[in-house]
Amino acid sequence: MPIPSREILRIRNFCMRYPNSLRWELADLNLTINRGERLALVGPSGSGKSTIARAITQMFPKGTLCKGELFLAGQDLRRISFKNLQKLRATELGLVFQDPM
């Protein structure tokens, strides 16, 4: 019987560039969160906190370039169907914006 993975979120060598940008907003990001762990992203405006959240939730503009690994509970978020991604967002994954207006 396989032992369930402790990893909830695994990001490896992840890079992301918004459309029409000449630089990577995220470059070689590596992050692992295991069951029971919590993470707070803290930093000044423009440091990439929202960009990381958008990458995990796959909520970025059409034409955004991404490379690297992005797994949530063993699912490859970069290759999940849109229907399954919507279901995951509705049940397991959310993003609360600082200024929702």
Side-chain angles (χ1 to χ4, degrees), residues 54-68:
R54 287 179 184 276
I56 294 168
T57 57
Q58 299 291 281
M59 295 176 66
F60 35 71
K62 190 173 184 166
T64 299
L65 298 175
C66 297
K67 61 182 181 178

